[in-house]
Amino acid sequence: MQRRKMEIANTKWVAAAASIWIQSFSGASYTFGIYSSLLKSSQSYDQSTLDTVSVCKDIGANVGILSGLFYTAVASGRSGYNGRFFNGPWVVIFVGLLQWFVGYGFIWMATSGVIERPHVAVMCFFMFLAGHCQPFFNTAIVVTAVRNFSDYGGTAVGIMKGYLGLSGAVLVQMYHIFCEGDPTNYLLLLAVVPSLLILTTMPFVRTYDTVIAGDKKHLNGLSTISLIIVTYLMVIILVENIIGMSMHMKICSFTLLVLLLASPLLVAVRAHREEKDRFMSLDFPVTEKTTLLDAPKLNPSPDVNIVMSSDKDVLEAICTTNFWLLFVAMLCGMGSGLATVNNIRQVGESLSYSTVQLNSLVSLWSIWNFLGRFGSGYISDAYLHSHGWPRPVFMAITLALMAIGHVVMASGLLGSLYIGSLLVGLAYGSQWALMPTITSEIFGIRHMGTIFYTISIASPVGSYFFSVKVIGYLYDQVASVDDHSCYGNHCFNTSFVIMAVMAMLGSLVAFVLFLRTKKFYATLVAKRILK
């Protein structure tokens, strides 16, 4: 019995389940709107200073070069457990966990009065630290998912990144139940509860470089569970908004949510049983270290060689045109999307939304974010395998959708914030599933973590420009001198128009990348058919 439990624990499906749990509770950066007003009032910040502090969080959350290099050093070797203690993805996760605990612990002490009000630069540093844990979690989990499910990287990345986006809604439910509307207690909860959960589950996140016939079936099982969870969360949010929920109902609903989050373990047990049965009957192939990019070469034409490469390091990638096309597209798309989520509470306050509506906006953003990440990964995989559609075409489509969302939010019409945040959230989430997968396909898997987080630097750079130089600056121009407040559609509409133009520019750049990689993706699909 003990041996059987160990066999199940040492599978890529348990690694996937553990990764899902970590992602489900580590997206605290998406709930900045819950405690942003507390941060502003307790530290006496104006809007520009608050945006500067939030951008430090974004910089930390997106500058993951160190995490990529660290992953390559400690986790890019042999798969599974090789007997070396300080080796494997869990080490990367643990370094991120230390930053999480110290960062959110300090922010809680500053806002609760445990310590004297720190200088803005000090607050920026610890906000950076709280955000910088995310690249370590993401690198360990996303790169491991691509290695474990190489033939369906888009689906695997979409699931993992999707749960990160969904984690905002999960954490908001914890906020309602355990904090009773107190942002100070929420910061303490962030420092303690997710830390304990991550510490417990991180040893199970390991790499298993195998391709098995049933991978697609069980990934579809995880996808189904994901859709059930997001539907359940949406129902909870709607019930809270329309009729309200007693504390007893909230506790029961959250308990059921935890059980749903544990259900990927059922997929892991089922997958292990089927794989063992097939192995015993010797009627299916298992190939070690077989990926789409490692298949036999097809002698592609010289035109294909221009865009096709394998396992480039970060310096080699930076010297390519495709890298900069991805960078500019993400600068326009992720930057404006991140600026939107950072300021969504202030936008709602300027339009006189209630506290319940504002909290719902944060939760709903997490759901749209999840659907964008999951949907773009799954759909781009399906169209790549069935029709040979290059993934960058979906990047161009979703960035155009983001531009429309910004225009809707600029209108200030009744319900425009809900509709606009739906469109922007879907499009923003899509970039986080598409960009890492495109990176692994164009530049190779070995240095994927370093390269995709180098490209991700575009997100905080764009966020700083849009949040501080556009939203913060234009808001302060029309805000009250006394309390730095502003009410009405004029507070943010010009900012959203500017971001709509930039998102459309990103869509055009992504379309250029699509044109450049059409032949490359045709060769990629041909390699899979040959394999």
Side-chain angles (χ1 to χ4, degrees), residues 23-103:
Q23 294 290 75
S24 297
F25 291 89
S26 62
S29 60
Y30 299 115
T31 64
F32 179 76
I34 289 179
Y35 59 89
S36 60
S37 295
L38 169 68
L39 197 62
K40 185 176 182 180
S41 61
S42 66
Q43 308 301 305
S44 300
Y45 292 158
D46 58 18
Q47 187 64 35
S48 293
T49 305
L50 179 65
D51 284 332
T52 300
V53 172
S54 71
V55 165
C56 289
K57 165 185 65 68
D58 300 334
I59 293 173
N62 293 280
V63 178
I65 298 176
L66 289 178
S67 64
L69 293 173
F70 191 50
Y71 184 94
T72 301
V74 303
S76 62
R78 293 174 55 193
S79 63
Y81 178 72
N82 60 13
R84 294 173 59 188
F85 184 72
F86 292 105
N87 186 273
W90 77 267
V91 181
V92 183
I93 296 172
F94 181 69
V95 173
L97 177 58
L98 292 177
Q99 297 176 75
W100 170 290
F101 182 75
V102 173

Side-chain angles (χ1 to χ4, degrees), residues 157 206 242 303 320 340 416 490 497 512:
V157 171
R206 300 172 184 168
I242 297 173
D303 290 337
T320 66
T340 300
S416 61
H490 66 285
V497 171
V512 173

